[in-house]
Amino acid sequence: MSYQLSGFHLAYNEKGLETIINHYRLFKKIIPTWVEVKSDGSIQVNNSNETIEKYMGKRGIVPMVQNANMDSKVSNLLISKQNAINCFIKEILIFLENEGYKEVCIDIEGVKYKNKIQYTEFIKKVADAFQQEGYSLSVVIPAKSENNQDSTWSGAYDYSSLGKIANKVIIMAYDFHWPGGPPGPIAPLSWVQDVIDYAIIEIPLEKLYLGLGLYGYDWVINSEQKTRGLVFKQIQDISLKYNVKVEWDQESQSPYLRYKENSIEHEVWFENKESISKKIRLIEEFQLKGVVFWRVGQEDPDVWKLFE
């Protein structure tokens, strides 16, 4: 493999642990959701003693920091208060020193586009403090295919600046269709290519990692019922239970299926070995540094055959 394979891991998720134990030799890094940061900059360590260290070693683990409860209010308050930033830097450095990890991955989501400069400055201050102490910084940022400055989702993330500041940049190339919108492919191949096309102009190739999803969504058509996230095993169960076969969408190069429950229509879009393999080819073609899957334990188990 000319690129690195890594995976996000939801702390204490049993299926995720199972995947890591079975396939740890394939992974360069595992990025577990162990740390939450609050709006005052204080951190809560959910855990750092999972069994994955036995398999990956200290150097194979990159603890991930997320805004508490993935609340956008937390993100926007944190980056706008100098006291909070100082507090975060102090606490995360103590955590790293105590635990012996060499790198942190920051996934601060929901930043408003008007706070773009504050977010960039926040990352810069963290990166500078890390550099002084010999630590490495990865950032996770939303995908975009153009410089859409006023996008509520991705407008605050300045690819060019972050590409200069961080040691690694992971782009979340998933949720093109998401639970709040109409049904459709989670990461259409042509869109993923557009995301890469834009990213390689702004971010050095040796820092650029593509985040890919391993899950699915079940949309309920013409109903108030909420869209739900599914793992691959649940999708297989639906296919068997309702005796429907998986279809292939040629345009997006994605699998999907439709079924009826109590005469209500459902549409399920997801990722499998075939759809992932097409995206991996793009990573190879564009010579990106690596792929990071969100998240291990949700996958079509045949996905790992692509890397063996």
Side-chain angles (χ1 to χ4, degrees):
M1 272 193 303
S2 56
Y3 55 91
Q4 295 174 0
L5 171 63
S6 301
F8 294 111
H9 166 58
L10 190 65
Y12 281 114
N13 179 270
E14 282 182 24
K15 286 292 176 196
L17 286 171
E18 208 176 284
T19 292
I20 293 163
I21 290 164
N22 291 335
H23 301 287
Y24 69 94
R25 288 183 181 86
L26 297 176
F27 293 105
K28 177 78 174 171
K29 305 276 184 187
I30 292 293
I31 307 172
T33 60
W34 279 348
V35 184
E36 283 192 311
V37 58
K38 298 172 187 168
S39 56
D40 63 0
S42 62
I43 66 170
Q44 180 178 327
V45 180
N46 299 325
N47 177 59
S48 54
N49 303 312
E50 272 188 291
T51 48
I52 54 176
E53 201 173 285
K54 192 169 109 185
Y55 297 91
M56 297 301 299
K58 290 277 185 197
R59 287 194 173 273
I61 294 173
V62 181
M64 178 146 78
V65 176
Q66 294 179 302
N67 41 311
N69 304 317
M70 298 310 283
D71 184 344
S72 65
K73 282 195 199 114
V74 171
S75 306
N76 290 285
L77 281 168
L78 167 71
I79 62 171
S80 60
K81 293 193 289 193
Q82 192 54 54
N83 289 350
I85 296 168
N86 293 343
C87 175
F88 170 68
I89 290 170
K90 184 182 161 195
E91 291 201 8
I92 200 70
L93 286 175
I94 291 168
F95 166 74
L96 285 169
E97 191 179 347
N98 288 346
E99 297 292 337
Y101 299 114
K102 294 294 175 194
E103 185 177 345
V104 162
C105 179
I106 289 185
D107 176 26
I108 301 292
E109 296 184 24
V111 179
K112 292 177 178 167
Y113 64 84
K114 65 177 186 185
N115 292 335
K116 179 184 192 168
I117 291 167
Q118 284 96 322
Y119 173 80
T120 306
E121 284 175 353
F122 164 73
I123 295 295
K124 176 87 170 75
K125 283 168 186 161
V126 176
D128 287 347
F130 273 29
Q131 196 177 359
Q132 279 181 348
E133 301 296 329
Y135 297 116
S136 183
L137 177 65
S138 303
V139 292
V140 180
I141 57 175
K144 53 182 167 183
S145 53
E146 59 184 354
N147 187 14
N148 52 351
Q149 296 175 22
D150 55 356
S151 161
T152 50
W153 171 232
S154 61
Y157 302 86
D158 181 340
Y159 275 30
S160 177
S161 298
L162 296 170
K164 292 182 181 81
I165 297 165
N167 301 99
K168 295 176 185 171
V169 180
I170 303 165
I171 293 173
M172 297 184 277
Y174 38 84
D175 275 10
F176 180 80
H177 285 90
W178 57 293
I186 289 159
L189 192 66
S190 58
W191 172 72
V192 174
Q193 174 149 3
D194 288 346
V195 167
I196 295 172
D197 281 338
Y198 176 66
I200 59 176
I201 297 166
E202 304 284 339
I203 299 164
L205 272 177
E206 66 273 12
K207 294 183 174 186
L208 188 52
Y209 294 73
L210 198 68
L212 294 178
L214 292 171
Y215 54 87
Y217 287 129
D218 181 345
W219 281 271
V220 190
I221 310 301
N222 301 326
S223 165
E224 293 303 301
Q225 284 182 52
K226 275 189 165 172
T227 301
R228 63 185 181 130
L230 300 174
V231 302
F232 188 78
K233 174 74 170 70
Q234 290 172 304
I235 294 158
Q236 281 184 310
D237 292 347
I238 287 169
S239 176
L240 284 169
K241 182 179 176 181
Y242 297 96
N243 192 24
V244 291
K245 70 179 202 327
V246 171
E247 308 281 349
W248 181 258
D249 180 59
Q250 202 58 40
E251 189 185 348
S252 68
Q253 297 287 292
S254 304
Y256 70 97
L257 58 83
R258 294 191 179 102
Y259 72 98
K260 273 188 179 176
E261 185 178 56
N262 303 327
S263 63
I264 294 171
E265 280 186 57
H266 291 247
E267 198 169 309
V268 177
W269 290 82
F270 59 102
E271 299 286 352
N272 64 6
K273 181 192 173 191
E274 195 175 347
S275 66
I276 292 292
S277 73
K278 310 270 183 194
K279 297 173 179 83
I280 293 296
R281 267 183 229 140
L282 285 181
I283 287 168
E284 292 172 332
E285 194 183 314
F286 284 94
Q287 299 180 319
L288 305 188
K289 188 69 178 171
V291 58
V292 188
F293 284 116
W294 178 265
R295 57 180 168 75
V296 296
Q298 298 180 308
E299 69 280 342
D300 171 356
D302 286 347
V303 159
W304 308 122
K305 290 177 183 170
L306 299 169
F307 308 103
E308 282 165 354

